Amino acid sequence: MDKEYFIIQNNIKTGPLTFEQLININIKPDTLVWTDGMPDWKQCKELEEFNIIFKNIPPPTPTENTINKFAHYRKKISVITFILFLISALITFIVLKLERNNLKAELKSKIESVFNGKASIQDGVVYGCKGELKVVDYKNSSNWVSTDEWWKIENLYSYYDLVEGGGFQLFRATKFDDDKFQIEILKSDKIGFTSSKNYVFPCQYYINSCFKYLTEYEKTSSYEIGKLIEIKSLPTLQNKYFHIVNTEPEEETPMGHKYKSWASLNPPPYIKSELGEKVYYSLTGKYYKVTDNEYVWMKDLMFYVFIELVAFIFLIIITIGLLRFVS
C-alpha cells in the first residue's frame, strides 16, 4: 500500500494524499506534512523523499529578486515615514500649545501693566458746565410720580440738566483675577438743588467737587492720572489666540454683580455737599474675561499638520520613485 500523507496549507489540514497527488498540488518546501510514524509535523524540505520535488526548482530570477527587494523597501519606507509624520505632528502640537500659553501670559501681563499692581484704578475727565437750569414743576404732577421724573421723588426745587460734553466722566477698573475684571463708568447727570438758595456757586464748582470726592476721598479705587486711555482700551486687548469678551461671571463678584452688565436705577446715586446740593451721576458697568479663541488655534494646528502630511506623502513618492529608478 502506498504511503499516505497529510498536509497543512493556509491553516487547513488536507489528506490523506499519495506522494503523486502531493506533486500535482504544487506544495512548497515550507508546507507542513505528516505521515504515519512521524512524532510531529515537519516541513516538506526536511523529509528526504521530497528532495526530488524541490531540487529541480530554480532560484528566483534577478527580476523577482528586484521586485521582492523593492516591495520590502517600500513597506519599510512607508512605516518609517508614517512614524516620522506622527512625531512631526506631535511636535507641532506641542509648539502651538506653548505658543498659546505664551500668548495668554502675554495678554495677562498687558492687563497687569495697566493695573500696575493695584486691585482697582480709576481716571477720568472733567468737562465744562454744559446744560440748562430747570425749575421743577410740581403743579401739574399727579399723586403718583414715575421714576422717569426721579427729581420730583427727590423733592428738588431745581436742577441743572447736564448734557453730553458737560460735567465729568470717570472710568473705574477693578481686577478680580489675572484674567477677569470689570469696568464701571460714572457719568455726571444732574446737579440738584433743594431750594432757590442753594445755587450760590458756579455750576463748574459742583462738578469739580463731585469729581474730587469720587477720585480722592472715596477710597474704593486708586486715582491714577494718565491711565484713562489704557483703562478704556482694556476690553480691546487681544492677540492671535485670545481676546477679551464681556460675559457673565461664573459666580457673583466681590462687588455683588452676577450679570455681564449693569446700570444704576433711578433715582441715581449722588454726592451731597454741605450746602445741600446734590450732584447726581449715572453708573454703568461690564464684566470682562480673557477668553481663548479655540477655533483659530485648532485651525492653525490642522493647517500645519495637513502641510506636514502632504510633505511626507511627497517624500514617500519621491523615495519610491528613486528606488524604482535605481533598480
Side-chain angles (χ1 to χ4, degrees):
M1 183 177 178
D2 291 338
K3 200 173 186 179
E4 293 181 329
Y5 299 87
F6 290 87
I7 63 171
I8 296 178
Q9 283 186 319
N10 300 322
N11 294 321
I12 300 174
K13 186 173 73 172
T14 306
L17 301 169
T18 65
F19 188 79
E20 288 73 18
Q21 289 175 319
L22 288 177
I23 295 174
N24 294 329
I25 63 174
N26 193 27
I27 61 173
K28 296 179 180 179
D30 58 354
T31 300
L32 293 175
V33 64
W34 181 88
T35 188
D36 188 29
M38 291 175 55
D40 203 355
W41 294 84
K42 289 186 178 182
Q43 292 183 351
C44 289
K45 63 184 179 182
E46 298 179 51
L47 302 179
E48 186 176 347
E49 60 260 39
F50 287 93
N51 288 342
I52 191 172
I53 301 176
F54 301 124
K55 70 179 181 179
N56 296 323
I57 297 177
T61 64
T63 303
E64 289 176 330
N65 275 332
T66 301
I67 292 173
N68 291 336
K69 285 182 180 179
F70 178 75
H72 172 73
Y73 285 127
R74 181 175 60 185
K75 183 177 180 181
K76 205 168 186 179
I77 290 169
S78 299
V79 171
I80 293 173
T81 305
F82 179 71
I83 293 173
L84 290 175
F85 165 71
L86 292 179
I87 294 173
S88 176
L90 179 61
I91 292 173
T92 300
F93 173 82
I94 293 172
V95 169
L96 286 178
K97 192 76 172 178
L98 289 173
E99 183 184 4
R100 183 168 173 262
N101 293 340
N102 290 336
L103 287 175
K104 186 173 185 179
E106 179 185 294
L107 189 59
K108 289 180 178 180
S109 178
K110 288 182 179 179
I111 295 173
E112 179 56 35
S113 68
V114 176
F115 284 93
N116 197 24
K118 297 180 176 63
S120 182
I121 60 172
Q122 60 183 351
D123 191 16
V125 58
V126 177
Y127 305 108
C129 186
K130 187 178 180 182
E132 180 184 359
L133 181 64
K134 298 180 179 179
V135 177
V136 181
D137 181 15
Y138 289 98
K139 294 180 181 180
N140 298 320
S141 297
S142 61
N143 293 330
W144 180 82
V145 180
S146 71
T147 54
D148 293 335
E149 295 183 303
W150 55 264
W151 45 87
K152 293 182 180 180
I153 299 175
E154 290 286 287
N155 294 317
L156 298 181
Y157 171 79
S158 62
Y159 61 88
Y160 200 93
D161 193 13
L162 296 168
V163 296
E164 192 68 34
F168 66 83
Q169 270 193 330
L170 182 65
F171 286 76
R172 181 179 292 166
T174 303
K175 182 162 66 75
F176 304 116
D177 203 347
D178 56 358
D179 61 347
K180 304 179 187 73
F181 61 89
Q182 71 177 32
I183 294 180
E184 292 182 311
I185 303 174
L186 289 71
K187 184 179 179 182
S188 57
D189 187 0
K190 292 175 174 57
I191 305 173
F193 306 100
T194 54
S195 72
S196 60
K197 297 179 180 179
N198 287 136
Y199 194 66
V200 294
F201 293 104
C203 168
Q204 193 67 46
Y205 167 80
Y206 302 108
I207 294 172
N208 293 343
S209 298
C210 181
F211 186 81
K212 185 175 182 179
Y213 178 85
L214 291 171
T215 55
E216 296 183 19
Y217 299 110
E218 192 177 66
K219 299 300 182 181
T220 57
S221 185
S222 175
Y223 182 37
E224 301 287 324
I225 299 176
K227 285 283 188 179
L228 180 59
I229 295 177
E230 292 182 70
I231 295 173
K232 292 172 72 173
S233 64
L234 268 173
T236 65
L237 293 177
Q238 62 178 337
N239 55 38
K240 189 177 181 181
Y241 296 141
F242 293 91
H243 59 289
I244 295 173
V245 297
N246 173 217
T247 184
E248 291 188 357
E250 294 84 354
E251 57 185 17
E252 189 174 295
T253 68
M255 313 294 290
H257 301 301
K258 54 184 179 180
Y259 301 107
K260 68 178 184 178
S261 59
W262 56 92
S264 57
L265 302 175
N266 290 329
Y270 61 85
I271 302 299
K272 186 176 181 180
S273 74
E274 295 179 355
L275 297 177
E277 69 278 353
K278 300 175 182 178
V279 179
Y280 295 87
Y281 58 90
S282 62
L283 186 150
T284 57
K286 289 184 178 181
Y287 178 88
Y288 295 96
K289 181 182 178 182
V290 175
T291 306
D292 61 335
N293 196 333
E294 190 73 24
Y295 171 76
V296 175
W297 186 80
M298 285 299 298
K299 183 179 177 182
D300 281 355
L301 178 62
M302 296 303 294
F303 172 77
Y304 289 122
V305 170
F306 174 75
I307 293 298
E308 289 167 0
L309 179 61
V310 172
F312 278 110
I313 291 174
F314 183 74
L315 178 63
I316 291 175
I317 294 172
I318 293 297
T319 306
I320 292 176
L322 288 174
L323 282 175
R324 192 184 295 274
F325 176 76
V326 172
S327 303

